Amino acid sequence: MNDTTETHVPLRRHAALALAYGLALGGLCASLPWKTPWLNGLGVAYAGLYVIVAPGLWRGAAWALVLARGAALAGLGLGVLCLAGIATSIGHLRGTFGALGVAPAVLVGLGTLTVLQAFCLVPVLLLQALGRARRLRAGAIVLALAIGAGTTAELRV
């Protein structure tokens, strides 16, 4: 099969996206100081999966498709864990500090959009390109609307 056929073009685009995402996220995780060093290692390892997957996706290798699905599902799992932690932080700020905790809770709520972009956007696009996310786009839209509604409710209080 010729490498310039139309079937490889989406995989090549997503291979370039996976490489850029892995390098950017890996650099960010390696450079930010965390309270626990294993979080840096976890972030760098997760980003490393995308760097490893990129050349295989470029060539259309079968192992890369399987590893890309695993990395994307792991990214969605990390996104859900981060969102759960953020929701807990919002509840803690509002419950502990009362009226003083409203402003930080709103800022943390707005920060969830960054977490969604960092951990969920590229995995959703990758899963969609791999053909495993027919309903995933609708789920991501519903999740974004729910977070937006929650942020709007926080702003009104």
Side-chain angles (χ1 to χ4, degrees), residues 13 55 65 100 138:
R13 288 183 193 143
L65 299 176
L100 291 175

Side-chain angles (χ1 to χ4, degrees), residues 50-151:
Y50 284 95
V51 173
I52 292 170
V53 160
L57 283 178
W58 187 272
R59 291 189 314 256
W63 62 267
L65 299 176
V66 173
L67 192 59
R69 285 186 191 114
L73 291 174
L76 290 177
L78 284 173
V80 168
L81 284 175
C82 286
L83 289 175
I86 288 171
T88 303
S89 296
I90 290 172
H92 173 72
L93 288 169
R94 294 278 316 267
T96 303
F97 300 109
L100 291 175
V102 172
V106 169
L107 290 176
V108 169
L110 292 174
T112 58
L113 300 175
T114 304
V115 171
L116 278 176
Q117 289 179 2
F119 287 113
C120 298
L121 181 63
V122 172
V124 166
L125 292 174
L126 191 58
L127 283 174
Q128 186 178 6
L130 295 173
R132 298 288 183 200
R134 293 184 182 139
R135 296 182 190 151
L136 199 54
R137 183 186 300 170
I141 291 171
V142 169
L143 181 63
L145 288 175
I147 289 172
T151 305

